[in-house]
């Protein structure tokens, strides 16, 4: 099969360090099959499936299943993210070594949905991870600052609207804490979904101290701001929340300057009844895999903040380096099976939820016209997606 690259941009296959695929546990909202299809259509050749499944991915039984199922489907390498702690209690460290040594070869650990609140537990997790050579991701929330707050949490808009939420201090204090803990543990720490100007500044500061820290930003935090909250529409609910325009600008600049390493989708499917409702009733999270590239083009390429070389860096090379994937995000040897994506840089398309491959098809980008479209994705020399169709090894949901 020959791919015609005329007028297209050729990039290394994208790597997403933050994807929620809901299998096991909530297969009514996404499965490894459907999430893999969304990933391939979005130009991804590797995704990291977050640990907040049911059961939690806190043992090799779960993490190996995720990897094997992804390989059966064959559309994208689904790398399991292991939970740092056992279950949802967060009191006992999980057997990270067993997960790292399993078939799924877990490289990244987090406790998404129940981040490591206890500083002592986080310190132990970082020390353990350093001895194993794996990476710990911090979901960046201090719940004691988040739960029960009454006013002025997320900025003036949220305060005026009376929305309970996730204050910037809840994010920034954890980023600062974990940077310092990583320093003392001699470990590396990865910051999930940076959403404030203060987080960008803290990551930059940590690097000046020689701390091994990396950080990601989501497409939605690059594009949307808290003016969206005015409608009280649950579709805009996400953790961390949409913040102020000044934060959006700081995140874009941070990504352009390399302070923020990469874009990660935080693809978080939820059923319609949990999103198409009033804000306070909605679950946090948005679809992200199929729209990520277009949002990067809209927010970074069009304004001249990144060129296509820069897109390759933030969508593929840096995330691959951060987790130590040796078969992604690097120049190919002659004759080596390629992980690549072809992008039509000029096409504009209109997002329609029902057209998306995810089971959940509610999206904050409904009817939005975005630039840049993935036209083909190739995983180890095999076409996985082309012109909106996917080619799995095994079919069915
Ligand atoms: O909004 C979010 N939803 N942010 C996360 O990081 C988790 C996710 C989820 O699992 O729904
Ligand atoms: Zn999160
Ligand atoms: Zn997440
Ligand atoms: Zn629907």
């Amino acid at each position: 099969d020959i791919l015609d690259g005329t007028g297209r941009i050729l990039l290394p296959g994208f790597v997403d360090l933050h994807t929620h695929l809901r299998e096991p546990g909530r297969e009514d909202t996404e499965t490894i099959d459907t999430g893999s299809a969304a990933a391939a259509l979005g130009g991804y050749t590797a995704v990291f499936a977050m640990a907040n499944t049911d059961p939690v991915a806190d043992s090799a039984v779960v993490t190996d299943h995720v990897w094997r199922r992804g390989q059966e489907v064959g559309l994208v390498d689904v790398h399991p993210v292991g939970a740092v702690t056992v279950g949802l209690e967060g009191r006992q460290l999980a057997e990270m070594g067993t997960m790292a040594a399993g078939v799924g070869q877990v490289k990244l650990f987090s406790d998404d949905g129940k981040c490591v609140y206890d500083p002592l537990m986080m310190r132990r997790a970082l020390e353990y991870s350093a001895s194993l050579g794996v990476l710990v991701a911090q979901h960046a929330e201090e719940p004691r600052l988040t739960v029960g707050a009454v006013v002025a949490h997320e900025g003036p808009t949220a305060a005026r609207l009376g929305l309970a939420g996730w204050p910037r201090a809840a994010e920034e204090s954890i980023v600062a804490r974990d940077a310092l803990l990583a320093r003392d543990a001699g470990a590396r720490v990865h910051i999930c979904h940076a959403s404030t100007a203060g987080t960008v500044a803290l990551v930059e500061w940590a690097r000046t101290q020689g701390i091994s820290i990396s950080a990601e930003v989501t497409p939605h935090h690059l594009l949307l701001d808290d003016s969206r909250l005015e409608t009280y529409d649950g579709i805009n609910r996400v953790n961390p929340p949409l913040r102020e325009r000044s934060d959006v600008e700081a995140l874009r600049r941070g990504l352009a300057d390399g302070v923020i390493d990469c874009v990660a989708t935080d693809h978080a499917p939820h059923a319609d009844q949990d999103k198409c409702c009033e804000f306070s009733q909605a679950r946090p999270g948005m679809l992200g895999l199929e729209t990520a590239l277009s949002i990067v083009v809209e927010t970074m390429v069009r304004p001249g903040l990144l060129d296509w070389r820069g897109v390759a860096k933030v969508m593929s090379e840096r995330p691959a380096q951060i987790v130590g994937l040796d078969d992604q995000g690097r120049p190919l040897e002659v004759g080596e099976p390629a992980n690549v994506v072809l992008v039509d840089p000029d096409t504009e398309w209109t997002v329609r939820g029902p057209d998306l491959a995810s089971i959940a098809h509610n999206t904050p980008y409904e009817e939005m016209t975005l630039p840049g479209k993935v036209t083909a994705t190739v995983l180890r020399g095999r076409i996985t997606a082309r012109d909106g169709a996917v080619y799995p090894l095994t079919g069915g949901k």
Side-chain angles (χ1 to χ4, degrees), residues 18 20 112-113 139 166 192-193 239-240 266:
H18 194 150
H20 297 270
D112 202 9
H139 177 74
W166 183 314
C192 293
H193 41 48
N239 287 339
D266 200 8

Side-chain angles (χ1 to χ4, degrees), residues 18-22 50 52-53 112-113 139 166 192-193 216 218 220-221 237-241 266-270 275 283-286:
H18 194 150
T19 313
H20 297 270
L21 293 184
R22 309 304 190 207
M50 272 293 168
N52 64 336
T53 48
D112 202 9
H139 177 74
W166 183 314
C192 293
H193 41 48
E216 63 185 37
T218 70
H220 46 273
H221 290 110
R237 184 155 192 178
V238 67
N239 287 339
D266 200 8
H267 179 84
H270 290 290
K275 289 304 290 180
R283 293 198 187 194
M286 327 178 141

